Amino acid sequence: MIRFVFGRLISVILTIWFVATLSFFLIRLAPGNPFANELRGATPEVTEAKKREYHLDLPLREQYWIWLRGVVTGDLGPSMKYRGKTVNEIIRQTFPTSIALGSVAMVFAVVLGMMTGVIAALKKNTPIDYGLMAVAVFGISLPSFILATLGIVVLVFWARLFPLAGWETYSNVLLPGLALSLPFAAKISRLTRVGMIEILGEDFIRTAHAKGLSERQIVIKHALRGAMLPVVSYLGPAFALILTGSLVIEKIFFIPGLGTIFVQAATNRDYNVVLGTVVVFSSLLCFFNFVVDLSYTFLDPRVKPVSGR
Amino acid sequence: MLLDVKNLKTHFPTQTGLVRAVNGIDLQVREGAAVGIVGESGSGKSVLSMTMMGLVPSPPAIISADQVQFEGKDLLKATASEMRQIRGNRLAMIFQDPMTSLNPFLTIGDQLSEPLLIHKNLTSSQAKKRVIELLASVGIPDPVARYRSYPHEFSGGMRQRAMVAMAVACGPALLIADEPTTALDVTIQAQILELMQSIRQNEGTAVILITHDMGVAAGFCDEIYVMYAGRVVERGPTERLFAEPTHPYTKALLSSVPRLDDPPGGRFRTIPGQPPDLTNLPVGCAFSPRCPYVIDTCRKEVPPLTTVPGESVAREKACFVEIRGKEAGQ
Ligand SMILES: Nc1ncnc2c1ncn2[C@@H]1O[C@H](COP(=O)(O)OP(=O)(O)O)[C@@H](O)[C@H]1O
Ligand SMILES: [Mg+2]
């Protein structure tokens, strides 16, 4: 177990390093620079001074070492656009918002997806099943920004159930959370249905019936756990996709999260903010996948992380 | 009579036609008896037992009977919740494949406790104590530690022991064992049969042993039913039935059992001809196309199950021809 955790930790660190390094060089190689607008028409001396301030005058390799040393010590450097703000501060202020939105969406997706999936499986090949799965196909194939726009039109302008946008009250998070979650709820629903139908055909379900258990006890205790396995392994990628999706949703709903900051930073080449976001996102995703793998070994006793215990 | 089944039918509508898997079965089991049901695979043995357990979903299946009386109650008329109270409690079942019949996600202890928790209203600590006793009684070493094991940590034989323990946890009046040893190797087979025999003797549990293996049935059962194409073709006390079969199918089954004096490396003897197509049974006796004793009547009428004349014990057969003392074709 310990060896498993340790091995995974090393591969996680390597992955993050690789992604960060790749992003570092890609963004520096992209045309433009952080001060292209700010310093338009400035004298070469001013430009040089500005570049020196952020070490942009040094050779690329040295810039990389300075930046990497910072990252390792937990310092993501200064923002190149927001004067006097460090990347750490920016992330600390905006990331909780994105996490909150992502978590709400995740919870919606899991609850909605598993519930409809189980119902569809139990009502296999009935109109209820067909109806739910038709909605699911629709949900999977529509990008969340279209759902968001539709949601805004219907729920905000027609039904006036939700406030339009912003980030002040709890109800602010519901509509974007729902919009963000629907494609994932649909996918989880289909995974649950397939897993559930497969498990319900297993011999041990027949044994459970032979014991005199009720349908409900059988579904909850004997079937759900096995049916959840494909869902659980999807949660890692799902959370990654949800966070990525929140970039767009945050923009639509004017939510001041890290997604909004990231999009801005990318357009105006705020190198450090972009890279800091990348590092934070990829760490989080690796960590999340790791937790999923770990939970897998708890859900299925046959899966042992390493030989022996 | 503990179990009294009259004219039970289980038919499955399918795309290729109506599968008459169980096609008018009579079956009687006394308290504490050991009854064998034998027949080639596909003869409807599993469908019969699943139907009695109330585990065949209907619809789609079409199930009918004059009665399926168990402990004075007609199981076909019982409600779903009445059936749940009987299953696993008074009427229990073990299945062929111990590798897949236990839930891989739950511990042995958890799974064995379930019948006690739902039928006997034990607290979980009482149930745990009882399960450990049960595991010990079916011969599982170190039952306290094994309580927390998962099925994949058990060998095939141990799993089947656990299945037996689970089935008898509530002290059922009748245990249906559907090919309980088919998936196991020979020495383990004998141990499991011995275990079931001792439970029968100590607890007075009646057992229906379903098998396609005449040898297994002979060693275990007092009485044997021979099934062919969803019907009983012959029933009688084990010894007489083996000594002198009265139905050509029984005779064919017995002579297909491999013997020590068979030439080594020779092929298994099999019954010539095709097993019947259950969607398209022949007119008359279902065995008539494969029967060496066939007469014209066999191809016109279905022979009813009638008492065999000239026997000191109760025997029945469904055949128009007297085959005792006759060779085929005479
Ligand atoms: N759910 C079902 N639908 C259609 N046919 C079935 C179904 N279950 C069993 N059968 C058919 O019923 C026949 C008897 O099967 P079974 O009782 O399993 O035989 P046995 O246990 O004697 O080997 C087989 O031909 C099988 O294909
Ligand atoms: Mg069978």
Side-chain angles (χ1 to χ4, degrees):
Chain A
M1 194 67 194
I2 288 167
R3 212 192 312 161
F4 167 74
V5 172
F6 194 71
R8 281 301 304 263
L9 222 55
I10 289 188
S11 84
V12 160
I13 289 170
L14 283 177
T15 309
I16 297 170
W17 168 77
F18 179 76
V19 171
T21 304
L22 195 67
S23 319
F24 180 92
F25 289 103
L26 281 179
I27 192 156
R28 305 263 156 162
L29 292 178
N33 70 65
F35 316 113
N37 277 329
E38 212 176 305
L39 299 178
R40 187 169 298 140
T43 60
E45 289 77 36
V46 177
T47 313
E48 272 314 304
K50 193 83 188 174
K51 282 194 169 177
R52 209 169 309 123
E53 190 184 334
Y54 294 99
H55 309 298
L56 293 180
D57 55 333
L58 297 174
L60 207 50
R61 194 145 49 97
E62 277 175 52
Q63 291 183 38
Y64 173 67
W65 282 121
I66 292 171
W67 177 74
L68 193 64
R69 219 175 299 135
V71 170
V72 170
T73 56
D75 174 12
L76 297 169
S79 163
M80 294 164 180
K81 283 308 237 193
Y82 301 94
R83 201 147 288 259
K85 277 207 167 184
T86 66
V87 176
N88 290 35
E89 275 165 9
I90 291 174
I91 290 178
R92 210 175 303 127
Q93 280 163 11
T94 56
F95 198 40
T97 306
S98 298
I99 289 285
L101 177 61
S103 308
V104 166
M106 195 75 183
V107 170
F108 277 162
V110 170
V111 171
L112 217 63
M114 300 242 334
M115 262 170 28
T116 53
V118 168
I119 293 172
L122 293 178
K123 303 278 175 201
K124 182 176 69 163
N125 298 338
T126 66
I128 297 177
D129 178 23
Y130 296 143
L132 284 173
M133 287 307 115
V135 173
V137 169
F138 191 68
I140 288 173
S141 45
L142 277 187
S144 56
F145 66 87
I146 294 191
L147 285 170
T149 321
L150 282 176
I152 290 178
V153 170
V154 173
L155 297 173
V156 179
F157 291 124
W158 289 0
R160 298 186 182 281
L161 285 177
F162 292 99
L164 174 53
W167 194 252
E168 278 85 44
T169 65
Y170 281 121
S171 56
N172 275 136
V173 77
L174 289 181
L175 189 52
L178 201 62
L180 189 50
S181 77
L182 280 182
F184 303 95
K187 175 84 183 174
I188 288 175
S189 177
R190 297 221 300 188
L191 286 173
T192 308
R193 176 182 178 274
V194 171
M196 199 72 192
I197 287 173
E198 195 189 313
I199 294 280
L200 287 176
E202 295 276 353
D203 282 354
F204 62 78
I205 296 295
R206 187 183 59 185
T207 309
H209 279 289
K211 283 186 216 181
L213 292 172
S214 69
E215 189 79 30
R216 218 185 74 222
Q217 289 166 316
I218 289 173
V219 167
I220 291 171
K221 189 168 171 193
H222 284 265
L224 209 51
R225 186 138 26 150
M228 257 167 56
L229 290 178
V231 175
V232 168
S233 44
Y234 175 65
L235 291 183
F239 200 59
L241 292 167
I242 282 183
L243 280 183
T244 326
S246 85
L247 303 187
V248 179
I249 294 286
E250 283 179 17
K251 281 230 96 131
I252 294 181
F253 287 91
F254 303 106
I255 295 169
L258 189 52
T260 306
I261 296 290
F262 179 73
V263 175
Q264 276 168 16
T267 19
N268 54 32
R269 301 281 185 274
D270 193 339
Y271 292 161
N272 284 349
V273 171
V274 170
L275 292 173
T277 313
V278 166
V279 169
V280 169
F281 265 45
S282 48
S283 313
L284 199 81
L285 300 181
C286 286
F287 172 73
F288 204 73
N289 273 328
F290 172 63
V291 171
V292 163
D293 282 358
L294 214 56
S295 70
Y296 214 81
T297 71
F298 285 111
L299 276 173
D300 189 345
R302 288 166 301 183
V303 178
K304 281 280 169 277
V306 281
S307 55
R309 265 176 286 176
Chain B
M1 199 59 69
L2 178 65
L3 176 72
D4 194 351
V5 178
K6 295 229 161 71
N7 195 24
L8 176 61
K9 294 181 180 170
T10 305
H11 295 173
F12 298 102
T14 66
Q15 259 134 24
T16 52
L18 191 64
V19 176
R20 295 177 161 85
V22 172
N23 202 16
I25 291 254
D26 292 357
L27 173 66
Q28 277 93 39
V29 180
R30 271 173 292 101
E31 283 81 2
V35 171
I37 299 181
V38 297
E40 288 169 301
S41 95
S43 54
K45 307 181 296 291
S46 296
V47 173
L48 170 64
S49 48
M50 296 294 279
T51 307
M52 293 190 295
M53 289 290 288
L55 294 180
V56 176
S58 166
I62 304 162
I63 299 173
S64 69
D66 296 345
Q67 65 169 43
V68 182
Q69 195 91 266
F70 174 72
E71 294 195 305
K73 198 173 220 156
D74 195 328
L75 297 184
L76 283 197
K77 297 203 178 81
T79 64
S81 90
E82 284 171 332
M83 265 326 275
R84 278 204 304 276
Q85 278 162 30
I86 295 171
R87 271 203 297 268
N89 186 17
R90 304 302 303 156
L91 177 59
M93 183 159 179
I94 54 182
F95 301 95
Q96 172 168 342
D97 193 347
M99 298 317 222
T100 55
S101 295
L102 287 163
N103 190 329
F105 305 113
L106 302 175
T107 62
I108 293 288
D110 193 355
Q111 297 186 62
L112 265 68
S113 307
E114 274 178 332
L116 294 164
L117 294 174
I118 53 178
H119 297 302
K120 298 287 181 220
N121 292 320
L122 298 191
T123 64
S124 53
S125 67
Q126 287 169 327
K128 177 171 182 182
K129 193 162 158 273
R130 181 80 189 103
V131 167
I132 290 171
E133 285 167 17
L134 279 164
L135 286 174
S137 77
V138 297
I140 287 178
D142 199 2
V144 178
R146 288 313 201 160
Y147 182 90
R148 267 175 285 123
S149 297
Y150 286 94
H152 71 274
E153 295 164 334
F154 275 28
S155 68
M158 293 239 286
R159 286 189 215 188
Q160 199 62 307
R161 283 172 190 273
M163 281 295 291
V164 172
M166 187 157 82
V168 301
C170 296
L174 176 60
L175 173 65
I176 304 176
D178 187 358
E179 312 246 11
T181 59
T182 306
L184 304 173
D185 65 44
V186 184
T187 43
I188 311 289
Q189 239 182 53
Q191 290 170 10
I192 297 290
L193 290 170
E194 209 173 289
L195 172 66
M196 294 204 309
Q197 197 66 275
S198 77
I199 287 168
R200 205 191 126 220
Q201 276 154 8
N202 300 335
E203 318 285 329
T205 310
V207 177
I208 295 179
L209 179 69
I210 295 175
T211 175
H212 63 265
D213 185 333
M214 281 299 226
V216 167
F220 191 87
C221 306
D222 312 327
E223 188 181 19
I224 288 181
Y225 283 72
V226 181
M227 263 182 86
Y228 187 79
R231 299 176 70 92
V232 174
V233 293
E234 170 161 18
R235 66 175 277 207
T238 308
E239 258 172 54
R240 278 300 293 148
L241 186 131
F242 270 76
E244 201 169 34
T246 60
H247 194 286
Y249 177 64
T250 314
K251 192 166 180 174
L253 269 186
L254 285 174
S255 62
S256 71
V257 174
R259 273 187 268 190
L260 283 176
D261 55 5
D262 276 348
R267 294 189 52 215
F268 278 117
R269 307 144 185 246
T270 50
I271 302 172
Q274 292 292 314
D277 173 4
L278 297 178
T279 58
N280 188 17
L281 290 169
V283 181
C285 175
F287 189 58
S288 60
R290 300 167 81 181
C291 182
Y293 299 91
V294 65
I295 57 173
D296 278 350
T297 328
C298 303
R299 300 202 181 91
K300 292 183 192 126
E301 286 172 47
V302 178
L305 197 61
T306 52
T307 308
V308 180
E311 291 275 343
S312 55
V313 293
R315 292 185 72 174
E316 289 179 323
K317 62 160 184 168
C319 183
F320 295 118
V321 184
E322 174 57 67
I323 67 162
R324 280 173 296 178
K326 248 203 259 179
E327 279 307 306
Q330 275 182 324

